[in-house]
Amino acid sequence: MSSLEIKDLHVSIGEKQIVKGLTLTVRSGEVHAIMGPNGTGKSTLAKAVAGHPSFTITSGDVLLDGRSILAMQPDERARAGLFLAFQYPSEIPGVSIANFLRAAVQARMGEGEELDATGYYKRLYSKMDLLKIDRKFTSRAINDGFSGGEKKRCEILQMAMLEPKFALMDETDSGLDIDALRIVADGVNALRSTNLGVLMITHYQRLLGYIVPDHVHVMWDGRIVKSGDKSLALELEAKGYDWVKKELVRA
Amino acid sequence: MSASPTLAPAALGSFTPEVFAAHLASVSHLPAWWLDRKRAAYEKFASLPLPKRTDESWRFATLTGLKLDGYVLPAAVTAAQLGHSPIGIAKAGKLVLANNRLVAQEPISAELAGRGVIFETLQNALLKHGDLVKAHLLAQPAKQGSEKFSALHTALLNDGAFIYLPRGVELAEPLAVFHYAHGAAAAVFPHTLVIAEGNSRATVVDFFRSADDGAHFACGQNDLYAAHGAQLTYTAAQTWSRETLSFQSNSIVARRDARVQSFNLHLGGRQSRHESHSELQAPGAHSEMLALTVAHGSQEFDQRTLQIHQAPHTSSNLLYKNALLDQSKTIFSGLIVVDPDAQKTDAYQSNRNLMLSDDAEANSLPGLEIQANDVRCTHGATSSRIDPEQEFYLQARGIRKDDAGELLTFGFFEEVLSKLASEPLHDAFRDLIKTKFKK
Ligand SMILES: Nc1ncnc2c1ncn2[C@@H]1O[C@H](COP(=O)(O)OP(=O)(O)OP(=O)(O)O)[C@@H](O)[C@H]1O
Ligand SMILES: [Mg+2]
């Protein structure tokens, strides 16, 4: 059983404090949903955990299986089992999906170990078929000219290939059409059954209908201000964030 | 014959009148016109000074690195001594030259020879096809600052490759020429002369290699002549040793409706100067000039280009990309010249630098000299760094920072690499570039 523990995390960009003391533990096989208004620090949280160099962790800790990952480079964190599905995936002209994923798979192999190219392509194509991604995409440059939905599907393809322990999925549902949403949800549910832990940032109840969360958290101004089960998402959908705000003021 | 007395000995370096006389004696069987040209060239070499600080055409170059002493005209080597390693691509023919002499070859098929294709050494061509060689060998004098080195090349050029493509002949596979320097302080003078007659079509690949890590001196030149409607692809991969000083001059002549693509890959050498000029002599002529450079350590690559539009409705397209690591340095100086009656010229020139280190230095001097009024000419130079968001994206997938830099460099190069139509050459070039990133 693995765990990802975020402990009293404070994150700033330059002088500006964005995440202001956030605590959360995700265990293998669990899905935690984070919801919250725009600009509240959800992406900042996800990127800081993944090790983005622009963000400074001023206090708190992030532990993977009990060990702090804060001193690790982003690539080390990824190889240790973290995966960030980006809200806005980078476009990288000139680097093909096939070469990129091969480099990522190779990075996880031991010194002197050779990648079995046939096996690699077989696995890649079977994942692409599952996600209904045209095989022609392997020779296209990473996200270059991809539609919004194609980018998100490509993120899930990478996740499926790299088999992380924990995935931070930042608005993977936005931009997906209904069919794609179902395909992605099926993909995540399949990985969940093999013990993937998920921290899922979303604005929409719709996704949570397909990927049923164990916990739902509301993030507000850099903190988790309310947690509950899946019914909290429905309540939010019905009442809006003003309801949370009023509760906060009352408290 | 003697050197001008006003010149410091440094201007001759190892290439003294005695060295030249010995060389000349060794090629006395070659045609008299050629020997005369060599004598005149040596006089010119000896009379010209080394580049000076005030020479505009050497701006930014490290002049202290251009010493000509300490070199020798090397002894012959055998194929076995050379340890030639093939590149694993199908070829229509191959010549391997080392230390200025032929050491091995795979001749073209009897079928191609029967159709009039010639692929042999320059010395043989001088003896058998003298008039053809005379019309095209070193026909375009150096124009971009390397007059002295071009003269030295002519004076000491011993042997090279000669390629003749008769009218209408198309080669499915490339012709490959390997030019090696072998042994300490070896001075080599590589040459490849290509004459592509009307509507012929071929790809020629030059490989410039050091057989060991000696401090070599390479002073090469090539002449590419594309007649009416010819389609010529010329690619070169320079992987001289890290201690090599090299000068290479590339001359392209495109006649009516001819299309020439040149692609130079620069990886080796301590200090490498590359000059390339295209003359678009008749309507419809087109020259695509491409180059990729990976500079690391304290390497210096100095590239000077000229696109000369001499006739209306001609086009040229230049794209040079450099990736700079460590304390390396690059210089790009390009000029588009449009003659007064070259209306409807369409010329493009672009130099892009990817700075992979804060200590590297990229210099760009793009230029235009336009005397016609109805033309389209654009030029530009940019320097950029790795995009931190792209780097993070790759790292977030577990790819190490150095490998991410390599992937992003290939991404940056792909725009140029993808213009190579030959898949095997494309792969061979990628593999060569990869060797620069091995630690
Ligand atoms: N690089 C940056 N420089 C300055 N401010 C930033 C930077 N990145 C994020 N911010 C600010 O930090 C705050 C939190 O941004 P973040 O992207 O984490 O919000 P979010 O909760 O993910 O919002 P959304 O729901 O719109 O995706 C915002 O006010 C944003 O403008
Ligand atoms: Mg966000």
Side-chain angles (χ1 to χ4, degrees):
Chain A
M1 175 74 92
S2 278
S3 63
L4 177 67
E5 292 169 78
I6 300 168
K7 286 185 162 172
D8 193 28
L9 197 69
H10 289 70
V11 183
S12 58
I13 305 169
E15 296 294 290
K16 196 176 162 199
Q17 192 65 198
I18 309 281
V19 177
K20 302 170 178 172
L22 187 141
T23 300
L24 180 67
T25 299
V26 184
R27 280 173 238 284
S28 298
E30 286 180 356
V31 173
H32 290 242
I34 293 192
M35 306 183 82
N38 296 129
T40 213
K42 303 180 299 294
S43 294
T44 302
L45 169 71
K47 287 200 257 185
V49 170
H52 194 292
S54 300
F55 303 115
T56 317
I57 293 180
T58 50
S59 68
D61 207 347
V62 180
L63 311 175
L64 182 61
D65 296 337
R67 297 233 305 268
S68 175
I69 59 167
L70 293 188
M72 291 160 77
Q73 292 298 308
D75 53 295
E76 294 176 78
R77 297 183 196 195
R79 292 195 301 277
L82 272 191
F83 183 90
L84 170 61
F86 286 76
Q87 181 177 6
Y88 303 111
S90 284
E91 300 189 2
I92 310 185
V95 181
S96 71
I97 298 278
N99 283 345
F100 158 56
L101 270 175
R102 187 160 54 194
V105 171
Q106 218 146 20
R108 286 163 172 76
M109 301 189 329
E111 194 89 20
E113 239 183 294
E114 279 289 327
L115 181 84
D116 160 30
T118 327
Y120 161 72
Y121 274 103
K122 216 174 134 190
R123 214 161 75 79
L124 178 60
Y125 287 147
S126 79
K127 308 278 186 203
M128 291 180 87
D129 292 351
L130 275 177
L131 292 165
K132 297 206 166 52
I133 300 174
D134 191 329
R135 290 183 182 190
K136 285 199 197 82
F137 270 72
T138 50
S139 57
R140 284 184 60 177
I142 305 168
N143 298 321
D144 192 17
F146 285 24
S147 74
E150 286 167 348
K151 283 182 185 168
K152 295 300 170 76
R153 256 190 275 185
C154 184
E155 293 291 291
I156 300 307
L157 171 66
Q158 295 168 42
M159 185 167 94
M161 283 297 286
L162 300 175
E163 297 176 344
K165 289 183 193 166
F166 292 95
L168 312 161
M169 299 175 62
D170 194 355
E171 296 197 27
T172 303
D173 53 335
S174 19
L176 289 180
D177 62 42
I178 299 161
D179 290 345
L181 188 68
R182 194 186 296 270
I183 291 164
V184 164
D186 287 348
V188 172
N189 285 329
L191 291 167
R192 182 185 190 177
S193 66
T194 64
N195 266 338
L196 173 74
V198 180
L199 187 64
M200 201 163 56
I201 296 165
T202 183
H203 286 296
Y204 305 106
Q205 156 61 23
R206 198 180 61 172
L207 175 71
L208 303 179
Y210 292 113
I211 306 172
V212 182
D214 300 291
H215 303 274
V216 174
H217 309 280
V218 179
M219 189 164 168
W220 191 288
D221 191 24
R223 292 180 193 91
I224 288 174
V225 292
K226 200 170 173 59
S227 295
D229 62 12
K230 60 182 179 187
S231 62
L232 178 56
L234 287 168
E235 209 170 347
L236 272 176
E237 184 109 321
K239 300 184 184 168
Y241 287 117
D242 273 351
W243 161 66
V244 182
K245 201 169 164 184
K246 279 185 200 124
E247 275 204 352
L248 274 179
V249 173
R250 243 181 286 134
Chain B
M1 162 196 7
S2 66
S4 158
T6 56
L7 277 179
L12 294 180
S14 308
F15 309 108
T16 60
E18 295 71 34
V19 166
F20 175 65
H23 163 69
L24 202 62
S26 74
V27 292
S28 58
H29 59 294
L30 297 177
W33 65 264
W34 174 234
L35 302 183
D36 287 343
R37 273 186 72 179
K38 289 173 81 74
R39 282 188 202 94
Y42 187 79
E43 287 296 336
K44 185 173 177 190
F45 161 71
S47 69
L48 288 171
L50 281 166
K52 291 185 298 290
R53 181 62 36 229
T54 49
D55 292 342
E56 186 57 26
S57 59
W58 289 86
R59 210 169 146 204
F60 299 119
T62 305
L63 300 181
T64 49
L66 306 177
K67 292 197 179 73
L68 297 181
D69 34 32
Y71 299 109
V72 295
L73 291 191
V77 282
T78 63
Q81 280 172 305
L82 195 61
H84 168 66
S85 54
I87 43 157
I89 61 172
K91 296 177 274 303
K94 175 173 97 173
L95 287 180
V96 182
L97 292 120
N99 289 359
N100 308 311
R101 299 164 185 89
L102 182 73
V103 294
Q105 65 178 312
E106 277 168 25
I108 51 171
S109 68
E111 194 262 332
L112 284 180
R115 290 166 68 192
V117 177
I118 305 170
F119 180 48
E120 60 182 333
T121 63
L122 199 54
Q123 284 208 2
N124 279 343
L126 277 159
L127 294 169
K128 294 196 281 191
H129 316 284
D131 289 346
L132 212 45
V133 177
K134 192 175 179 180
H136 297 286
L137 179 62
L138 297 160
Q140 309 299 318
K143 298 180 176 73
Q144 297 157 270
S146 276
E147 291 77 2
K148 183 179 178 71
F149 306 107
S150 175
L152 179 64
H153 171 82
T154 308
L156 292 177
L157 164 58
N158 184 63
D159 210 351
F162 177 78
I163 294 168
Y164 179 78
L165 303 156
R167 188 172 290 275
V169 171
E170 296 190 8
L171 263 53
E173 256 129 27
L175 292 167
V177 184
F178 292 83
H179 307 267
Y180 277 95
H182 176 278
V188 292
F189 302 89
H191 198 101
T192 297
L193 168 58
V194 184
I195 303 167
E197 294 288 16
N199 296 318
S200 63
R201 190 171 181 157
T203 298
V204 174
V205 201
D206 265 337
F207 291 93
F208 300 102
R209 291 179 170 183
S210 291
D212 48 68
D213 52 15
H216 300 138
F217 175 80
C219 182
Q221 206 148 333
N222 57 53
D223 306 303
L224 311 176
Y225 178 85
H228 191 155
Q231 291 191 37
L232 181 60
T233 301
Y234 171 82
T235 63
Q238 186 272 86
T239 55
W240 297 122
S241 79
R242 284 294 309 284
E243 294 304 320
T244 297
L245 170 63
S246 96
F247 301 92
Q248 180 72 23
S249 183
N250 184 190
S251 152
I252 294 160
V253 173
R255 304 290 300 165
R256 180 178 283 272
D257 297 331
R259 301 183 73 81
V260 179
Q261 183 192 60
S262 56
F263 187 130
N264 288 285
L265 178 64
H266 305 286
L267 302 176
R270 165 175 59 82
Q271 186 167 352
S272 306
R273 167 97 170 186
H274 192 273
E275 297 183 5
S276 186
H277 66 265
S278 285
E279 281 192 16
L280 302 140
Q281 294 184 343
H286 175 75
S287 178
E288 183 173 42
M289 301 164 76
L290 305 169
L292 292 180
T293 304
V294 185
H296 80 258
S298 56
Q299 284 185 304
E300 177 171 321
F301 292 91
D302 181 358
Q303 295 167 285
R304 314 272 163 163
T305 66
L306 258 181
Q307 294 153 265
I308 311 172
H309 292 259
Q310 298 173 334
H313 295 283
T314 51
S315 55
S316 64
N317 190 346
L318 180 148
L319 180 57
Y320 277 33
K321 287 195 170 186
N322 300 323
L324 294 91
L325 298 100
D326 308 326
Q327 300 85 41
S328 62
K329 175 174 170 180
T330 61
I331 302 155
F332 170 82
S333 170
L335 185 63
I336 296 173
V337 177
V338 181
D339 286 356
D341 57 351
Q343 299 296 0
K344 305 285 181 193
T345 283
D346 190 344
Y348 178 80
Q349 179 203 90
S350 169
N351 167 229
R352 309 213 177 277
N353 301 301
L354 179 63
M355 312 303 292
L356 295 161
S357 151
D358 289 339
D359 303 323
E361 176 189 328
N363 304 280
S364 273
L365 298 159
L368 297 173
E369 210 177 276
I370 300 173
Q371 296 181 60
N373 52 26
D374 184 15
V375 300
R376 210 178 74 188
C377 294
T378 38
H379 69 159
T382 57
S383 284
S384 58
R385 287 162 198 276
I386 293 268
D387 175 345
E389 293 303 324
Q390 293 182 345
E391 185 177 61
F392 176 65
Y393 188 81
L394 297 179
Q395 280 189 277
R397 299 301 177 245
I399 297 168
R400 289 172 183 83
K401 197 180 170 91
D402 285 351
D403 296 333
E406 181 180 337
L407 267 178
L408 291 172
T409 303
F410 271 106
F412 170 70
F413 279 171
E414 189 55 31
E415 182 187 4
V416 180
L417 272 173
S418 65
K419 292 185 195 282
L420 264 182
S422 156
E423 193 70 31
L425 267 181
H426 184 276
D427 292 348
F429 276 30
R430 282 187 81 96
D431 288 347
L432 283 175
I433 294 168
K434 278 208 177 102
T435 62
K436 291 282 284 200
F437 289 92
K438 291 233 171 72
K439 275 132 269 170

